[in-house]
Amino acid sequence: MATHSESHAEHPHFHAPSHWEWSTAPTLIVLGIFFSIPLAFAGHFVYHNSLMTSVFAGLGVPVLLWGISQWVSEGINSPESHHHGLSKVGLPIFIVSEVWIFIGLFSAYWALRLMAAQWPPDGTPHIGTNLPIIMTILLVSSSATIHVAEEKLEEGDVGGMKTWLILTLLLGTVFLGCTLTEYSKLIGEGFVPSTNAYSTAFFSITGFHASHVLVGLVTFLCVLIPALSGKTNKTFLACASVYWHFVDIVWFFVVSQIYFW
Amino acid sequence: MKEWIFTTDHKRVGISYLVGSMAAFAVAGTMALLIRMEQFNPGPGITDNPHTYNTWLYFHGAAMILAFLIPGLTGFAANYFLPLMIGAPDVAFPRVNSFSVMLFWLAIVLALLNFVIPDPADIMWTGYPPYSVMTEGNTAWYVFVVHMMGFSSILGAINFLTTVIYMRAPGMGWNQLNVFVWGTVTAFVMQLIFIPALAAAVTLLLFDKYLGTHFFDPAAGGDVLLYQNIFWFYSHPAVYVILLPALGILFEIVATMSKNPVFNYKACIYGGFWGTTLLAGEVWIHHLYVSGMPDWLRIGMMVSTILISIPVGLMTISLWGTLYRGAITFNTGMMYASGALFFLLLGGLTGIPNAMTVVDLHIGETSFVHSHFHYVMAMLATFALIGGVYYWFPKMTGKYANEGIGKLGFWLNFIGVNVTMFPLMLIGPLGMPRRYYDYPMVPELAPMHHLATYGSLIVLLGMAITLINWITSAIAGEKAPLNPWGSKSLEWTHTDSPPGPGNFKGGTPVITEDWTPYNYGK
Ligand SMILES: [Cu+2]
């Protein structure tokens, strides 16, 4: 039979709160999403109304950032709670689902490519492979620098952690810069998403990966900004780092399938 | 008040899910009534605009599945009862949990705004291209509803899987978990893997419609069936995301009310629940029997689809075996469970002809299928959910729900749904197509449509009575003891009604080896 007991040696001790806990951060983020994604998108793409778009985006983005900063500060200021460290389990579970999104996108690409009469289809300009090689080097080195940042924090060297984190942020930003350069060159040559089946897959997959790079950079900022005032959280940095390695690994598939195949 | 709106407590988040999903049910149910009225006679009925009819169909399907059934089962029921059943003070990530429920509310608001915005979405819940790409309707709106619901579910999956793995009460082994916990775990494993496919499918739709890509445009090297493949890769398993937690609730009610341990527990969990999960991703192409596929693939898909009968059979045997020689208490919760068992039988058996390619080619686009999936998914899961609310009502409110009114509501609902759906099953093979606005080719079927429409009005009455019963009983019901049904499960034996913050006042319960939640001394 089950019995009551205050604590148990083999299991972590969970502190039951004696009051109802609450937080406004999730609601703020959701409100921010509401204005800056569905409403702003519909304003631009569906109803072609630029005033509507800018009003919604102007409302949504600040609220979204406010919500994120509130979430981060609540997380970083809260005492080590009963679920401390479980994020290191939760994040890989999230990555499983991310993997399936990419499997979906790549399957779509493979289906189009393998059923095509000729590849690349008409209208595809020469897509250089030098830039993707440079981008690969950037991303791989950023995976290394974030790992060093993690080790510095482990040693208690917050200053070193900040240095290596900033370096990682720079590498990631340059990576996104390369993407933009490449896009503008290709679009200049008339290769746009609607050109053919290859452009369809090219812009969708590289764009979707780039959006993940952006999310990774935002999580680094969420670690860096509190660190400037001396607040750090090892679990948080570890999660941001694991996510970044995942983004790095996906890039290998993007490079091999989109550029070199 | 802020402790209710901004709460991160799993029980209050659960109640928030219940309120939201019942609201979605009310609106989507109203759409069903409108659909039934329009179908009353051939020719234009209450609207002469087929597009209006399309938006009703769209909203009914999308909201019932994405905003009522899935959030009701994996949002409300899992949130409120799973942590209690495993002896946890809360879920692993309470703030993420609050984020999930807020995303769910956002999706509901978006879905409802569809009635207000110009050019509303009108693409069914399936959103098939090329129509969804070419329509004037706001396809993006539907895509964002799916994104919000999907993200909410994925966060839920992360939260609940982590909770079950790491936050079980000390000593609680895998074979000591409630069947409902397994139903939730397997549902979330599927959500985690398959929702991203749905998200990818609708995102590509968005790209095609608004950014000019050609994923689904055969004229430019795309493939229209690609969408159907990715979509059903999620949406067939979605049926099990609904079915498995619903069966989990049925197990809880049936075991408690018949005072029997779950029959064949291990076969039911590992063969039934996990077997279904394993097969869930290998059968989706049966939705393309009519759309077209190579012949050899038809045979393979027929076999894998029929194989699903094995795990489902195992779970059904366990349910009936748990009832065998039990001292059954037929209260309202148990009556809903019995109704759901009947739907499981009828819905399950009508699934077999659908799985047979040769038969399905003829009945696949008729109201036979429409009736089949309403029995096996919609009605079964709704009855399980309503039964669950009655079963756990004393836990959530500390009061009894009124039994007399509850049973009256049950009979109205049970008779109503059968009078609605059984005629549609009969007229399917006689030539009544699914989804159509009008049926000028089979006007002789009108009397059956009359019957079905009357049935839906009986359901309206039954559901109204049920909701009023819940509200009045929660406010002024008779006070209930802590464990009125004499259950052995932790949520009944170790917590207050309703449980306070942190759930277990005396600390986390410690589980001994011979404990099970169904320990009725047999
Ligand atoms: Cu299916």
Side-chain angles (χ1 to χ4, degrees):
Chain A
M1 276 304 294
T3 50
H4 284 290
S5 166
E6 277 300 304
S7 67
H8 194 271
E10 296 161 33
H11 275 257
H13 183 75
F14 298 126
H15 291 281
S18 55
H19 55 92
W20 297 104
E21 298 195 359
W22 57 283
S23 162
T24 51
T27 315
L28 287 172
I29 295 180
V30 167
L31 270 178
I33 292 176
F34 177 49
F35 286 107
S36 57
I37 300 177
L39 291 182
F41 184 96
H44 183 71
F45 285 100
V46 183
Y47 304 118
H48 310 291
N49 182 332
S50 58
L51 177 68
M52 194 171 143
T53 312
S54 26
V55 168
F56 285 142
L59 273 171
V61 174
V63 176
L64 181 62
L65 294 178
W66 179 20
I68 292 175
S69 72
Q70 176 121 348
W71 185 302
V72 171
S73 83
E74 278 178 20
I76 227 152
N77 288 322
S78 67
E80 299 222 342
S81 55
H82 58 79
H83 51 267
H84 180 76
L86 281 187
S87 311
K88 281 186 223 163
V89 184
L91 188 82
I93 299 180
F94 177 63
I95 288 180
V96 170
S97 108
E98 288 264 41
V99 166
W100 280 92
I101 277 217
F102 279 102
I103 291 180
L105 283 175
F106 277 109
S107 310
Y109 165 57
W110 292 326
L112 296 193
R113 176 151 187 174
L114 296 173
M115 285 185 307
Q118 60 157 16
W119 200 270
D122 290 334
T124 311
H126 172 72
I127 297 178
T129 49
N130 290 334
L131 196 59
I133 290 175
I134 298 171
M135 289 162 83
T136 310
I137 296 169
L138 285 170
L139 220 46
V140 171
S141 15
S142 72
S143 253
T145 52
I146 190 67
H147 185 73
V148 178
E150 251 188 291
E151 280 182 350
K152 292 286 174 198
L153 186 62
E154 205 62 47
E155 293 161 7
D157 176 5
V158 178
M161 185 273 272
K162 279 187 278 191
T163 313
W164 288 94
L165 188 59
I166 290 170
L167 199 58
T168 315
L169 268 162
L170 284 176
L171 288 168
T173 314
V174 176
F175 177 90
L176 283 184
C178 292
T179 305
L180 288 180
T181 316
E182 185 187 37
Y183 277 17
S184 67
K185 177 177 166 284
L186 288 173
I187 290 171
E189 290 169 15
F191 190 66
V192 294
S194 59
T195 303
N196 56 31
Y198 186 43
S199 71
T200 289
F202 178 87
F203 284 105
S204 303
I205 290 179
T206 55
F208 198 68
H209 177 264
S211 73
H212 280 69
V213 174
L214 189 64
V215 169
L217 293 179
V218 172
T219 61
F220 289 152
L221 280 179
C222 293
V223 178
L224 182 66
I225 293 170
L228 294 178
S229 52
K231 285 176 182 154
T232 56
N233 181 321
K234 283 178 194 163
T235 310
F236 197 176
L237 181 60
C239 288
S241 159
V242 169
Y243 187 77
W244 192 250
H245 296 319
F246 161 71
V247 172
D248 193 1
I249 292 168
V250 172
W251 177 249
F252 289 120
F253 286 91
V254 177
V255 170
S256 62
Q257 298 303 302
I258 299 282
Y259 292 95
F260 280 91
W261 179 21
Chain B
M1 195 61 194
K2 63 176 192 277
E3 290 179 352
W4 268 102
I5 297 173
F6 302 121
T7 186
T8 60
D9 182 89
H10 72 96
K11 300 177 290 296
R12 294 185 160 191
V13 168
I15 296 294
S16 184
Y17 267 115
L18 179 63
V19 172
S21 52
M22 290 316 294
F25 179 81
V27 184
T30 309
M31 298 298 115
L33 288 173
L34 293 174
I35 293 167
R36 282 308 329 142
M37 304 220 185
E38 175 54 47
Q39 297 264 287
F40 193 77
N41 277 320
I46 54 174
T47 176
D48 48 15
N49 182 356
H51 282 290
T52 310
Y53 180 80
N54 274 356
T55 55
W56 298 341
L57 276 187
Y58 155 74
F59 192 91
H60 173 71
M64 281 294 189
I65 293 170
L66 299 174
F68 167 60
L69 286 174
I70 295 179
L73 293 160
T74 62
F76 153 66
N79 252 298
Y80 204 111
F81 303 107
L82 186 143
L84 300 180
M85 284 174 172
I86 63 169
D90 204 320
V91 292
F93 311 113
R95 238 171 330 143
V96 175
N97 205 21
S98 161
F99 189 34
S100 291
V101 77
M102 283 299 168
L103 280 170
F104 159 71
W105 275 104
L106 168 59
I108 289 198
V109 169
L110 278 179
L112 288 175
L113 282 175
N114 196 51
F115 293 115
V116 196
I117 57 170
D119 309 324
D122 60 344
I123 53 175
M124 302 287 301
W125 90 283
T126 47
Y128 277 10
Y131 181 76
S132 55
V133 175
M134 289 153 68
T135 174
E136 290 292 307
N138 189 341
T139 298
W141 212 252
Y142 172 62
V143 172
F144 288 125
V145 170
V146 172
H147 281 163
M148 300 308 151
M149 287 290 180
F151 194 30
S152 165
S153 283
I154 288 172
L155 292 176
I158 297 165
N159 221 335
F160 281 94
L161 294 178
T162 313
T163 305
V164 174
I165 298 171
Y166 286 93
M167 292 178 71
R168 279 167 295 134
M172 185 181 277
W174 294 111
N175 292 329
Q176 291 170 301
L177 295 184
N178 288 68
V179 179
F180 175 70
V181 174
W182 282 117
T184 307
V185 165
T186 44
F188 274 128
V189 166
M190 287 188 280
Q191 291 284 68
L192 192 70
I193 292 172
F194 297 114
I195 280 189
L198 176 69
V202 296
T203 305
L204 299 187
L205 216 51
L206 199 72
F207 289 170
D208 267 18
K209 188 167 172 66
Y210 300 103
L211 304 181
T213 58
H214 301 293
F215 282 105
F216 308 129
D217 174 12
D223 179 10
V224 113
L225 290 187
L226 179 64
Y227 178 85
Q228 297 192 17
N229 274 297
I230 313 179
F231 177 83
W232 286 108
F233 183 66
Y234 165 73
S235 296
H236 183 87
V239 174
Y240 304 128
V241 170
I242 292 165
L243 180 71
L244 297 186
L247 289 180
I249 294 178
L250 294 184
F251 272 102
E252 300 306 321
I253 301 175
V254 161
T256 299
M257 296 309 174
S258 55
K259 297 285 174 296
N260 267 338
V262 168
F263 176 69
N264 255 352
Y265 177 89
K266 285 185 186 168
C268 169
I269 300 303
Y270 301 106
F273 282 84
W274 282 105
T276 308
T277 310
L278 220 64
L279 285 174
E282 286 99 65
V283 300
W284 81 90
I285 303 178
H286 64 217
H287 291 271
L288 282 78
Y289 281 159
V290 179
S291 306
M293 69 175 93
D295 282 342
W296 60 269
L297 196 54
R298 286 209 162 104
I299 305 292
M301 282 297 140
M302 182 170 89
V303 172
S304 68
T305 304
I306 293 172
L307 275 180
I308 293 269
S309 322
I310 296 172
V312 173
L314 284 174
M315 295 185 286
T316 312
I317 290 168
S318 284
L319 273 171
W320 289 94
T322 308
L323 285 169
Y324 182 65
R325 301 185 74 162
I328 304 171
T329 313
F330 271 103
N331 54 20
T332 313
M334 184 63 200
M335 291 179 74
Y336 273 101
S338 316
L341 283 180
F342 170 73
F343 297 149
L344 176 62
L345 216 56
L346 196 60
L349 292 176
T350 51
I352 297 172
N354 285 324
M356 308 287 184
T357 318
V358 280
V359 183
D360 188 72
L361 282 174
H362 298 283
I363 59 172
E365 296 300 309
T366 72
S367 67
F368 181 85
V369 168
H370 173 199
S371 172
H372 154 72
F373 69 73
H374 273 80
Y375 268 100
V376 80
M377 183 174 74
M379 286 145 62
L380 183 151
T382 307
F383 269 53
L385 191 59
I386 298 176
V389 171
Y390 273 110
Y391 171 67
W392 282 307
F393 199 86
K395 179 47 57 188
M396 295 187 284
T397 61
K399 291 165 186 156
Y400 282 113
N402 186 302
E403 278 289 310
I405 302 176
K407 284 180 178 157
L408 175 66
F410 165 78
W411 283 112
L412 287 170
N413 283 335
F414 184 74
I415 294 169
V417 287
N418 279 299
V419 171
T420 309
M421 280 301 156
F422 206 76
L424 296 181
M425 184 179 296
L426 298 180
I427 60 179
L430 298 178
M432 181 62 210
R434 291 167 68 185
R435 303 190 188 104
Y436 283 23
Y437 162 71
D438 194 4
Y439 47 102
M441 57 297 194
V442 278
E444 69 276 14
L445 299 180
M448 288 297 218
H449 280 289
H450 296 172
L451 204 56
T453 307
Y454 296 138
S456 65
L457 293 173
I458 303 178
V459 182
L460 171 66
L461 193 62
M463 279 312 302
I465 286 179
T466 305
L467 286 177
I468 291 169
N469 189 24
W470 288 350
I471 295 168
T472 53
S473 301
I475 297 168
E478 186 195 334
K479 198 175 175 331
L482 281 185
N483 187 0
W485 322 126
S487 170
K488 300 289 184 187
S489 180
L490 285 187
E491 86 268 26
W492 293 109
T493 55
H494 279 66
T495 68
D496 285 345
S497 296
N503 297 340
F504 298 92
K505 269 193 309 200
T508 325
V510 174
I511 303 301
T512 54
E513 241 172 65
D514 57 348
W515 178 88
T516 82
Y518 312 108
N519 199 357
Y520 295 105
K522 290 179 190 171

